[in-house]
Amino acid sequence: MPDGPDYAALTRGQLALLDRVNAGETGLAVLDDIVRLARDVLGALGAGFVEYSPGHGRIIAATGTCARALGRRVPRGTVDSCNDVFSGHIEGGGGHRVLGAPCELGGLTVGSLHVSYGDDSGEPTAEHRAVLQLLAAGVGHMYGNQAGLPVHGDGPVVAALADGLAVIDRDGVVQLWNPAAERLTGRTADETLHRDLPFPAPPPGQVLVHRLPSGRRLKVTAGDLPRTPGMRVVTFRDSTDQDRRHEDRDLFVAVTSHELRTPVTVIKGYADTLTNHWDSLGADGRQEAVRVIGARAGELARLVDRLLSATSDDGGDVGSPPGPFDLVEALRAAAAELPADLRGRLVLADLPGELPKAFGDRDSLATILTELATNADKYSPGETEVTVTAAADEATVTFRVADRGIGVRPEHVERAFERYWQGDNGRLPGAGLGLYLVRRIVERQQGWVSLRPREGGGTVVEVRLPRA
């Protein structure tokens, strides 16, 4: 461990970050730079950032020795517990010294920033800790500015523990602003009192839904204050989760009807052809019609399974009891089961002859590879290859699916795992469920999955499973 931080690098790095922010860059791209800056300034071997959600955390940015933990879901806990997670999953396994600092906003911890050192490093100085805390505070400010963060949209930046309450006069100027209103909107009483209400107030008896800059939604009602002419009471609560459930229900109906229409139409069309033109088709024509019906029925069955899994609370049961299995053999078998057009594009490049056994559900590899290959096929030109590689380290067995397609923007690498989300503005066909299901299946097996742009263009999806 260096004797002290590199303050010259810190100054240069912060100026460069300021230039990027002033140029309009936000979100994960800037966060990645802060993580790299922490590693360089503090002379660490690696660095990473954990974003907290109400129930858990996830490593959404990592570099150096911490890079392979990218995408890892971690239990929601203290900074020390996240230090332990990083120590157990960075390259080389345990024995690393990891320092962490919380990223806070208004008394709420939105994440934590960590740096790792080798097991032979010395004790960190107060300067090391102070610089790490400074950089962590900078991340907290990014969350406060809603600058493309939180990545997952469900972080605790805005938390509603009770209804917000405001009293406004006849001109809409705020005269009372309770603590719950501060928590819901992120605006303090000093910032709000004697100023205009920061959102429209509906007429008495009506309900208005107001969207905050963070993306959270407030359901707002208003009424006249008794015995106080000209004064009105405005109450509001966070309705984001309820609205999202309604939207998910409507979207599920729309997606289901759209996705089912094509295979059902084809099956019905060929069945009608067989019924009405059996004799004129001949043996070859009948055989082709039956083949198409069978293929489309298989697609329909897989689609129904995906839709049911995507809408269940637990994601469904793992296909078979977890146990040791040969990842390379399972990948080859799964590739052989792909549809012919996908199988023709897939290249199992340089798969090792011997690889430590993975621990998990072997049967799930067919689903995982099918989803990843289908996704790569959809977003990359038909003349390019989709490559599959595999490797192992001290704790995990890994395989990667890489394409030469349109790539993925840094701010979308986590959104791509959201249910129903689609890249390319949804212009391409699909339900937006593939990566969502892959992450759920992999995490049920104590593994994790991450997505990143590929050098030279395209996308790489990396799946890590525990070693047996």
Side-chain angles (χ1 to χ4, degrees):
M1 182 178 298
D3 293 336
D6 186 343
Y7 289 108
L10 177 62
T11 302
R12 290 193 301 270
Q14 288 187 312
L15 289 174
L17 283 169
L18 184 61
D19 287 341
R20 295 188 65 183
V21 171
N22 288 337
E25 294 191 55
T26 60
L28 199 56
V30 177
L31 181 61
D32 283 335
D33 277 357
I34 294 178
V35 170
R36 285 191 289 267
L37 182 62
R39 178 197 63 188
D40 296 342
V41 168
L42 296 173
L45 299 177
F49 177 76
V50 180
E51 181 181 88
Y52 295 163
S53 295
H56 65 274
R58 191 179 296 279
I59 299 169
I60 63 171
T63 186
T65 54
C66 297
R68 78 178 189 86
L70 185 66
R72 178 70 171 175
R73 177 174 171 149
V74 300
R76 176 70 185 270
T78 64
V79 171
D80 287 341
S81 66
C82 289
N83 283 344
D84 293 339
V85 170
F86 269 108
S87 180
H89 290 93
I90 61 180
E91 292 179 4
H96 287 71
R97 180 189 298 277
V98 181
L99 302 180
C103 303
E104 297 180 335
L105 174 65
L108 295 168
T109 302
V110 297
S112 53
L113 182 63
H114 304 260
V115 290
S116 68
Y117 297 90
D119 54 5
D120 57 350
S121 62
E123 287 293 327
T125 67
E127 291 180 88
H128 287 92
R129 297 183 185 276
V131 168
L132 185 61
Q133 291 168 357
L134 172 68
L135 293 172
V139 176
H141 284 303
M142 289 178 62
Y143 276 81
N145 294 333
Q146 306 298 327
L149 299 169
V151 168
H152 293 93
D154 60 355
V157 178
V158 180
L161 302 179
D163 286 359
L165 174 68
V167 174
I168 59 175
D169 62 19
R170 66 177 70 248
D171 297 318
V173 175
V174 178
Q175 305 298 321
L176 183 146
W177 192 252
N178 76 338
E182 294 185 352
R183 291 192 297 271
L184 281 163
T185 64
R187 297 173 62 97
T188 66
D190 290 339
E191 295 170 329
T192 310
L193 289 173
H194 311 301
R195 293 178 173 84
D196 290 341
L197 188 69
F199 46 79
Q206 297 186 21
V207 177
L208 178 147
V209 176
H210 174 75
R211 185 186 293 271
L212 294 168
S214 65
R216 307 294 290 180
R217 298 174 187 175
L218 300 180
K219 184 169 289 186
V220 187
T221 58
D224 294 330
L225 190 63
R227 296 185 297 277
T228 310
M231 304 293 283
R232 298 175 66 194
V233 176
V234 180
T235 59
F236 45 96
R237 64 178 56 184
D238 190 329
S239 65
T240 308
D241 294 337
Q242 181 182 24
D243 292 345
R244 190 170 292 156
R245 284 193 295 270
H246 291 162
E247 289 177 356
D248 280 353
R249 180 196 61 198
D250 295 341
L251 186 57
F252 173 74
V253 172
V255 167
T256 301
S257 60
H258 172 75
E259 290 295 304
L260 295 179
R261 186 176 294 115
T262 297
V264 168
T265 300
V266 173
I267 290 171
K268 185 178 186 303
Y270 273 89
D272 288 344
T273 299
L274 287 173
T275 300
N276 299 324
H277 306 283
W278 179 270
D279 294 330
S280 61
L281 282 175
D284 291 342
R286 291 193 291 268
Q287 185 174 0
E288 174 62 15
V290 170
R291 185 195 67 78
V292 172
I293 289 174
R296 291 294 186 165
E299 292 177 14
L300 190 59
R302 287 192 296 273
L303 177 59
V304 170
D305 286 341
R306 294 170 74 213
L307 291 169
L308 291 176
S309 296
T311 53
S312 65
D313 292 333
D314 59 2
D317 296 328
V318 176
S320 59
F325 69 93
D326 186 327
L327 178 67
V328 171
E329 186 274 332
L331 286 172
R332 293 189 186 280
E337 296 175 5
L338 292 173
D341 54 342
L342 281 182
R343 197 165 60 244
R345 296 192 62 183
L346 206 66
V347 177
L348 304 182
D350 301 324
L351 293 181
E354 293 186 6
L355 205 64
K357 289 188 181 298
F359 188 85
D361 172 24
R362 180 194 181 282
D363 293 342
S364 71
L365 260 292
T367 301
I368 294 171
L369 186 62
T370 298
E371 298 295 347
L372 297 183
T374 301
N375 207 57
D377 177 68
K378 182 167 66 172
Y379 289 104
S380 58
E383 68 276 7
T384 60
E385 295 179 341
V386 177
T387 60
V388 180
T389 57
D393 56 31
E394 293 84 352
T396 62
V397 183
T398 306
F399 73 93
R400 300 177 182 88
V401 178
D403 63 58
R404 287 296 184 191
I406 61 176
V408 57
R409 293 164 58 183
E411 62 268 29
H412 290 165
V413 295
E414 282 297 321
R415 290 207 66 195
F417 291 102
E418 295 178 7
R419 181 168 54 181
Y420 303 131
W421 189 87
Q422 295 184 72
D424 197 36
N425 297 320
R427 289 192 293 268
L428 295 175
L433 294 173
L435 289 177
Y436 170 80
L437 291 175
V438 167
R439 174 164 273 182
R440 295 187 74 176
I441 293 170
V442 171
E443 290 188 347
R444 288 205 308 268
Q445 301 174 65
Q446 308 307 310
W448 66 99
V449 58
S450 60
L451 179 71
R452 65 177 182 272
R454 185 182 185 185
E455 186 176 350
T459 304
V460 179
V461 183
E462 180 177 88
V463 176
R464 289 185 176 271
L465 296 171
R467 279 181 55 162

